[in-house]
């Protein structure tokens, strides 16, 4: 502790060194004047008095040095002096300084920016209290191939009452989002979530005004309440206090009881309004999975223990809420997972891959700068030899070398930090459709620490590496001094080191370019995948939620919703430019939205034994003309008609892949019967539709069964029109909807083209970043090859002049340098192909339709790099062939 205090005291003194130095001079001058006055009073003349005073205080400068050393350590002063000298030396070599600092800055900047993304997503993805103890309740039913079944009111009630491992468990649902809000201002669609009282408390959020939901708010029949997000409260109430006001939400008047903080986000969902999920225990049944549940584990409880606890509660759940004879319920298994995994998903694989590739780029930059530093040290040999000859020790020479490396490293770090700050927004824009909005991605202290560590690490590396070559043997000092300003012959060790650095650059570039090539092949393959629809830019989708004030079991409510949907279809169809309109119940049915619901399905007669069926089928409830509007071809049979809907006919359509697997062909499926149970009731298959991708283009299209639409408060509409995307079309559709019900509004408005682009988002982001790093790596390699050949020429000018004077052809001189460069590059390519095999194994999860060992990609990268290196070395070698031998020999 005392040492720390002393060090801090010395640092403060050093920071005040100017003030203290002036004070020291004034103190010594004061004592000299006092002694001079005393001498004069003793009878001395003024000149004698001053001389005697100085004699009394002999060694004034030595005294100053002793005092300065006490307050200002010599090591620190020497280091600052060395850095100032290094800065002056770099100013005399602007080409080297610019190339080294820029290369290093690009590498450090790219690495810092990418680390900031990885830090925000992988290391600290959830801005909630006790995030490491937050889990999501997920189940699996291997018997039907369902691997991701969530929760329901029955599951929530059973686990809440009987668990031994949770501090709290909450249920939430946003299937009815958005809601229509009216009251203070115009009606609008607002993103919403139904939550039990525990959900917001589990996340650790505290309202900035009002309160959270309490037990009384969850009780069925309790006074309706709502909590608003900060942004929505500011927008809706013009910055005023929202608590105490009322909003009409889907026809229900709700009291606003709280406002959440501005920085709070509900996972990856943009929710503006929360209202209580009031569960009636008497109507809760199982199996059902119409909700999401989160829980906070008790201190010391592991995920495995929580899974075991849920397995213990499953029989209690079935006994209390039904499901005794259900194959699904009896085959259920707990698959609890950290909430982080639910939010991040498989994005961590992509980010670790990108962070690794940026790390390779950093290594290439370091190798390039190390080569520059070695060349720089070779050219400084006369200066270093002169220092040694004048009495400088090895330590003093080492300080000169390390100081220059330190200045380069720290300047590169500062530039890298500026590049990271400027490049991070662009990097985030590449992943705008991939990175969850919940992530707080900034250059925080952790990222700054990485930047500082890279700067110091490269400083140490570049300082130590040249020291292996900077210390000249005594026998060579005289030889160096005799050559004057010319450098001596390059040693073999020095040459081998430079060649190894160039080989490593090429090898790392091969790895990056191979990864970029494989991702480009993947992107091209995905573009040729048939998504199951055409002309996506002309198909508009939007969600409409009809407010319900009565029980979902009410026949009057069902009839009203069905009637409204039919009227909406007619009004939208009447909008000028509209070609066709349809809808899907329950917000299901859109391609590439990864939001389908899975059911068990059996066929009355099929080629596949029904007992072997373990995979669930996606179910859709659609209106007539749905597939016509979606531009999804009908392979066989017919579409659903309005008479099927009106008469509640037991019919179904199936996807082409399901028809082929069960009955051999699409035409053979017509007339067959399917059901959710082996005992029926049965539905007749009247049509077969083309396979449509629902969970991504890189995954197989799901097997789908399609039923006629049923009345549902939430429905997704699809509209085909050439006017999609034009300024006036969306307002026309809103006016048509308002003519049906002024309180309704369009929500989640998207085109199929938006969904299609979103399906490519991760591949596009990965491809762009790999292509960028690959291009930067290629540029660094080309610069490295060009510089290596140029340096070789500068070292062998005398030899070249003699060769040309003796009759050597200029083409032979060029081939000599080009061949040597290609030999080094070939060694790097061979090493890089071996390294690429390791990367491609890591990259496999990101690829589609192309093997990680694709020989065409590997060969193309090798040929491309050879051509780039050949071009760079030829351009550099051309200067050698243009030398005038007479001028060279005269200079020698």
């Amino acid at each position: 502790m005392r040492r720390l205090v002393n060090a801090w005291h010395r640092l403060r003194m050093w920071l005040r060194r100017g003030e203290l130095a002036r004070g020291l001079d004034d103190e010594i001058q004061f004592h000299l004047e006092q002694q001079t006055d005393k001498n004069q009073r003793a009878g001395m003349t003024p000149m004698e008095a001053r001389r005697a005073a100085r004699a009394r205080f002999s060694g004034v400068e030595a005294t100053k040095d002793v005092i300065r050393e006490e307050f200002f350590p010599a090591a620190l002063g020497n280091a600052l002096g060395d850095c100032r000298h290094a800065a002056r030396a770099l100013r005399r070599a602007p080409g080297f300084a610019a190339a080294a600092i820029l290369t290093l800055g690009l590498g450090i900047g790219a690495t810092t920016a990418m680390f900031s993304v990885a830090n925000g997503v992988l290391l600290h993805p959830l801005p909630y209290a006790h995030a490491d103890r937050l889990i999501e309740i997920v189940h699996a039913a291997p018997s039907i191939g369902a691997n991701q079944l969530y929760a329901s009111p029955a599951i929530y009630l059973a686990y809440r009452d009987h668990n031994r491992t949770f501090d709290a468990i909450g249920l939430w649902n946003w299937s009815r989002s958005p809601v229509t809000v009216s009251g203070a201002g115009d009606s609008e669609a607002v993103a919403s979530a139904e939550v039990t009282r525990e959900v917001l408390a589990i996340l650790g959020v505290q309202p900035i005004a009002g309160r959270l939901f309490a037990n009384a708010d969850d009780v069925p029949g309790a006074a309706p309440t709502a909590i608003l997000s900060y942004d929505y409260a500011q927008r809706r109430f013009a910055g005023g206090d929202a608590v105490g006001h009322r909003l009409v939400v889907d026809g229900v008047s709700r009291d606003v009881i709280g406002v959440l903080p501005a920085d709070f986000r509900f996972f990856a969902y943009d929710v503006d309004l929360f209202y209580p999920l009031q569960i009636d225990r008497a109507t809760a049944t199982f199996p059902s999975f119409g909700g999401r549940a989160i829980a906070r584990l008790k201190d010391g409880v592991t995920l495995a223990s929580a899974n075991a606890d849920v397995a213990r509660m499953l029989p209690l759940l079935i006994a209390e809420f039904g499901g005794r004879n259900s194959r699904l319920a009896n085959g259920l298994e707990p698959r609890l997972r950290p909430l982080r995994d639910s939010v991040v998903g498989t994005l961590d694989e992509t980010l670790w891959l990108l962070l690794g590739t940026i790390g390779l780029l950093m290594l290439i930059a370091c190798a390039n700068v190390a080569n520059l530093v070695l060349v720089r040290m070779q050219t400084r040999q006369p200066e270093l030899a002169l220092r040694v000859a004048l009495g400088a020790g090895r330590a003093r020479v080492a300080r000169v070398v390390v100081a220059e490396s330190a200045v380069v490293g720290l300047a590169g770090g500062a530039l890298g930090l500026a590049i990271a700050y400027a490049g991070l927004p662009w990097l985030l824009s590449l992943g705008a459709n991939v990175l969850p909005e919940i992530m707080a991605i900034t250059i925080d202290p952790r990222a700054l620490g990485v930047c500082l560590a890279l700067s110091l690490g490269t400083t140490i590396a570049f300082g130590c590496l040249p020291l292996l070559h900077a210390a000249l043997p005594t026998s060579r000092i005289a030889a160096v001094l005799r050559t004057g300003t010319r450098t001596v012959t390059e040693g073999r060790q020095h040459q081998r080191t430079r060649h190894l650095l160039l080989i490593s650059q090429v090898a790392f570039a091969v790895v990056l370019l191979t990864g970029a090539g494989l991702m480009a092949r993947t992107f091209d393959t995905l573009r040729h995948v048939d998504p199951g629809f055409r002309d996506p830019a002309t198909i508009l989708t939007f969600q409409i939620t009809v407010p319900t004030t009565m029980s979902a079991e009410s026949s009057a409510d069902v009839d009203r919703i069905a009637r409204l949907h039919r009227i909406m279809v007619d009004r939208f169809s009447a909008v000028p430019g509209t070609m066709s309109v349809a809808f899907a119940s329950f917000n299901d049915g859109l391609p590439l939205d990864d939001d389908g619901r899975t059911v068990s399905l059996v066929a009355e007669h099929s080629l596949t034994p029904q007992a072997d069926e373990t995979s669930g089928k996606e179910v859709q409830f659609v209106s007539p003309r749905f597939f016509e509007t979606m531009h999804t071809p009908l392979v066989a049979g017919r579409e659903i008609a309005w008479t099927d809907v009106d008469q509640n006919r037991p019919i179904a359509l199936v996807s082409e892949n399901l028809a082929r697997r069960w009955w051999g062909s699409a035409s053979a499926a017509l007339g067959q019967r399917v059901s959710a149970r082996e005992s029926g009731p049965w539905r007749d298959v009247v049509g077969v539709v083309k396979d449509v991708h629902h969970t991504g283009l890189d995954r197989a299209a799901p097997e789908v069964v399609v039923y006629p639409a049923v009345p549902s408060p939430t429905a997704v509409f699809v509209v085909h029109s050439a006017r999609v995307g034009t300024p006036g079309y969306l307002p026309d559709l809103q006016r048509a909807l308002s003519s049906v019900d002024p309180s309704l509004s369009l929500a989640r408005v998207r085109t199929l083209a938006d969904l299609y682009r979103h399906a490519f988002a991760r591949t596009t982001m990965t491809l762009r970043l790999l292509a960028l790093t690959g291009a930067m790596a290629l540029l660094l390699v080309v610069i490295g090859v060009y510089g290596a050949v140029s340096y070789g020429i500068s070292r062998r000018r005398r030899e070249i002049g003699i060769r040309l004077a003796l009759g050597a052809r200029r083409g032979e001189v060029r081939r000599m340098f080009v061949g040597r460069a290609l030999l080094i590059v070939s060694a790097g390519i061979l090493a890089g192909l071996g390294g690429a095999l390791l990367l491609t194994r890591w990259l496999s999860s990101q690829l589609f339709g192309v093997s990680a060992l694709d020989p065409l990609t590997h060969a193309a990268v090798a040929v491309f790099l050879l051509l780039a290196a050949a071009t760079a070395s030829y351009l550099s070698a051309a200067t050698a062939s243009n030398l005038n031998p007479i001028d060279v020999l005269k200079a020698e």
Side-chain angles (χ1 to χ4, degrees):
M1 186 66 184
R2 181 175 297 176
R3 291 183 178 180
L4 291 176
V5 172
N6 291 337
W8 171 244
H9 178 69
R10 285 172 176 256
L11 178 61
R12 289 182 59 195
M13 291 298 184
W14 179 80
L15 293 174
R16 299 172 55 201
R17 60 192 182 279
E19 177 186 346
L20 293 175
R22 289 190 295 272
L24 177 62
D25 290 340
D26 292 342
E27 180 72 16
I28 292 177
Q29 185 63 34
F30 171 77
H31 286 292
L32 285 174
E33 291 175 355
Q34 289 291 318
Q35 186 62 42
T36 301
D37 291 341
K38 183 177 180 180
N39 292 341
Q40 286 181 342
R41 288 194 299 270
M44 294 183 183
T45 64
M47 184 176 295
E48 291 174 342
R50 283 194 297 273
R51 185 181 301 111
R54 288 184 177 277
R56 181 176 177 82
F57 291 98
S58 59
V60 170
E61 294 302 325
T63 303
K64 287 184 179 182
D65 290 339
V66 171
I67 296 174
R68 288 193 189 102
E69 176 60 24
E70 176 66 24
F71 291 109
F72 322 125
L76 186 58
N78 291 337
L80 292 175
D82 290 338
C83 289
R84 287 193 295 269
H85 174 78
R88 289 194 297 269
L90 290 174
R91 283 199 298 269
R92 292 194 296 269
F96 163 78
I101 293 173
L102 180 60
T103 301
L104 202 55
L106 287 173
I108 293 176
T111 305
T112 303
M114 194 64 222
F115 176 82
S116 298
V117 176
N119 179 49
V121 176
L122 302 178
L123 304 181
H124 297 88
L126 300 178
Y128 305 131
H130 308 293
D132 58 326
R133 292 163 52 197
L134 299 182
I135 63 169
E136 183 173 27
I137 308 297
V138 184
H139 305 82
S143 60
I144 64 168
N147 296 318
Q148 190 165 276
L149 300 172
Y150 292 106
S152 67
I155 291 173
Y156 159 72
L157 292 172
Y159 293 177
R160 185 194 67 184
D161 295 343
H162 300 292
N163 86 85
R164 300 171 182 170
T165 54
F166 304 151
D167 269 342
I169 179 174
L171 183 71
W172 63 277
N173 194 339
W174 84 314
S175 62
R176 294 172 60 86
S177 177
V179 293
T180 300
V181 175
S182 55
D186 297 331
S187 298
E188 60 177 323
V190 178
S192 63
E194 292 179 284
V195 299
T196 61
R197 64 183 181 275
E198 301 94 348
V199 171
L200 296 177
I202 287 173
L203 299 179
V205 61
Q206 294 296 326
I208 60 172
R211 63 176 178 86
L212 296 180
F213 296 124
N215 292 355
D217 296 307
D218 270 359
V219 177
T225 54
I227 295 176
L228 308 183
S229 72
Y230 177 84
D231 290 341
Y232 182 64
Q234 292 291 308
R235 185 171 71 250
R236 186 75 185 183
F237 296 98
D241 186 8
V243 176
H245 286 80
R246 286 195 167 191
L247 292 177
V248 179
V249 181
D250 279 351
V252 178
S253 179
R254 294 184 177 274
D255 292 322
V256 178
I257 63 171
V259 177
L260 299 178
D263 59 351
F264 174 74
R265 292 199 60 82
F266 191 65
F267 311 135
Y269 304 99
D270 191 13
V271 177
D272 282 329
L273 184 147
F274 297 86
Y275 57 98
L277 178 57
Q278 298 175 339
I279 299 174
D280 185 353
R281 195 180 194 98
T283 61
T285 59
F286 184 76
S288 61
F289 302 95
R292 306 284 287 270
I294 60 173
R296 184 175 63 243
L297 297 177
K298 293 181 178 179
D299 283 335
V301 174
T302 64
L303 192 62
S305 299
N307 271 306
D309 191 33
V310 170
R312 177 190 61 82
M313 291 186 288
L314 283 174
L316 303 177
L317 167 66
I318 296 172
E320 185 173 359
F321 295 100
R324 293 177 179 82
N325 300 318
S326 169
R327 179 185 177 190
L328 171 59
N330 293 324
L332 207 61
E333 298 177 358
R335 296 285 176 86
L336 276 58
R337 64 188 182 192
L339 187 60
R340 171 201 172 279
D341 293 351
S342 177
V343 174
V344 176
T346 59
L347 184 60
D348 55 347
E349 298 176 1
T350 302
L351 292 180
W352 282 121
L353 170 68
L354 294 176
L355 189 59
T357 57
I358 294 293
L360 289 180
L361 180 66
M362 182 67 198
L363 291 177
I364 295 175
C366 288
N368 199 309
V369 175
N371 232 332
L372 290 173
V373 171
L374 284 177
V375 172
R376 167 78 171 157
M377 288 302 103
Q378 186 71 10
T379 59
R380 293 187 68 186
Q381 280 192 3
E383 174 198 341
L384 299 179
L386 185 59
R387 287 177 177 271
V388 173
L390 292 177
R394 303 293 183 183
R396 186 70 184 90
V397 173
R399 277 169 41 195
V400 172
V401 176
V402 171
E404 186 166 298
S405 298
V407 171
V408 171
L410 294 178
L415 177 62
L417 187 59
I419 292 174
Y421 270 107
L424 184 59
W426 175 81
L427 188 62
L428 295 178
S429 70
L430 290 182
N433 294 324
V434 179
L435 301 174
E437 294 183 10
I438 189 176
M439 309 305 182
I441 300 175
T442 59
I443 298 180
D444 60 6
R446 188 185 295 262
L448 291 176
V450 169
C451 182
L452 180 61
L454 289 174
S455 301
L456 295 178
T458 52
T459 295
I460 295 171
F462 299 150
C464 293
L465 183 62
L467 288 179
L468 301 176
H469 308 280
L472 293 174
T474 305
S475 59
R476 297 189 62 193
I477 293 178
V480 173
L481 293 176
R482 281 197 301 270
T483 62
T485 59
R486 292 173 294 166
T487 57
V488 296
T489 304
E490 184 180 30
R492 289 185 178 274
Q493 183 183 0
H494 190 281
Q495 190 179 64
R496 280 196 299 269
T497 303
R498 288 195 307 102
H499 289 170
L500 285 174
L501 288 171
L502 183 57
I503 289 172
S504 65
Q505 289 183 61
V506 175
F508 293 144
V510 168
V511 174
L512 293 179
L513 289 173
T514 301
L518 291 172
M519 285 306 302
R521 295 284 306 277
T522 293
F523 186 80
D524 184 65
T525 304
L526 286 174
R527 289 190 61 187
H528 288 86
V529 172
D530 186 354
F533 53 84
R534 294 178 289 106
D535 304 324
T538 65
I539 301 173
L540 187 70
T541 76
F542 47 83
Q543 183 177 313
I544 297 176
T545 300
V546 177
T548 55
T549 57
M550 292 172 276
S551 168
E553 303 296 328
S554 167
S555 59
D557 209 26
V558 170
D559 292 342
R560 182 174 66 90
I561 293 172
R563 185 170 59 255
L564 284 175
H565 284 167
R566 290 287 289 271
I567 296 173
M568 290 176 196
V569 169
D570 294 339
R571 298 290 172 85
F572 291 145
S573 299
V575 173
T578 301
M579 300 176 187
S580 62
V581 180
F583 65 89
S585 307
F586 307 112
N587 194 27
D588 294 332
L590 290 182
L592 301 174
D593 65 349
D594 198 13
D595 196 24
R597 51 182 77 207
T598 302
V599 298
S600 58
L601 190 71
V602 295
E604 186 178 29
H605 305 290
S606 73
L607 301 177
T608 303
Q610 297 300 288
D612 297 339
E613 284 295 318
T614 58
S615 60
K617 313 296 183 292
E618 282 201 16
V619 61
Q620 298 175 6
F621 296 86
V622 304
S623 73
R625 302 189 69 186
F626 182 82
F627 295 105
E628 175 190 341
T629 305
M630 294 281 292
H631 283 186
T632 298
L634 202 65
V635 180
R638 66 175 178 86
E639 264 207 74
I640 295 170
W642 280 116
T643 53
D644 300 321
V645 177
D646 295 337
Q647 299 176 17
N648 197 24
R649 291 176 179 172
I651 66 168
L653 281 70
V654 296
S655 59
E656 184 179 8
N657 52 4
L658 180 57
R660 292 186 183 279
R661 190 168 68 84
W662 272 359
W663 300 292
S665 66
S667 59
L670 300 179
Q672 300 290 341
R673 298 203 301 173
V674 296
S675 174
R677 296 182 296 274
E678 294 184 2
S679 59
W682 298 96
R683 289 178 178 267
D684 296 322
V685 177
V686 299
V688 179
V689 296
K690 187 177 181 62
D691 298 335
V692 178
H693 289 264
H694 285 190
T695 56
L697 296 171
D698 57 341
R699 302 180 187 179
E703 296 177 340
V704 178
V705 57
V706 183
Y707 299 145
V710 295
S712 166
T714 301
V716 58
F717 280 75
V718 290
V719 178
H720 175 221
S721 173
R723 291 183 61 195
V724 171
T726 59
Y729 189 58
L730 201 58
D732 288 348
L733 292 175
Q734 180 60 58
R735 281 190 289 270
L737 180 61
S738 298
S739 69
V740 179
D741 188 336
S743 68
L744 300 180
S745 58
L746 308 178
R748 302 184 71 186
V749 180
R750 298 172 293 179
T751 66
L752 284 192
D754 296 331
L755 293 172
Y756 188 70
R757 281 192 296 270
H758 184 74
F760 280 93
R762 183 175 301 189
T763 301
T764 302
M765 179 186 74
T766 307
L767 173 60
R768 287 176 175 174
L769 287 175
L770 282 177
L772 178 64
T773 54
M776 293 174 66
L778 178 64
L779 177 63
L780 291 176
V781 166
V782 168
I783 293 174
V785 172
Y786 186 92
V789 175
S790 297
Y791 179 69
I793 292 172
S794 68
R795 306 295 303 171
R796 301 173 64 180
R797 286 176 58 88
R798 183 170 181 272
E799 175 191 343
I800 294 170
I802 294 174
R803 286 177 178 270
L804 293 175
L806 294 177
R809 297 180 179 178
R810 299 186 182 275
E812 293 176 350
V813 174
R814 285 195 296 266
R815 284 193 296 273
M816 177 178 66
F817 288 100
V818 172
R820 188 174 184 83
L822 292 183
L823 186 63
I824 297 173
V825 170
S826 298
I829 290 174
L830 291 176
L833 290 176
L837 296 178
L838 298 177
L839 172 73
T840 50
R841 289 179 181 273
W842 197 15
L843 191 63
S844 298
S845 61
Q846 310 292 319
L847 302 180
F848 175 76
V850 59
S851 169
L853 304 177
D854 180 48
L856 180 61
T857 302
H858 290 263
V861 168
V863 172
F864 183 71
L865 258 178
L866 276 175
L867 290 176
T871 302
S873 57
Y874 181 85
L875 292 176
S876 182
T879 60
S881 62
N882 292 330
L883 291 176
N884 188 331
I886 297 177
D887 294 338
V888 172
L889 294 176
K890 282 182 177 180
E892 290 293 328

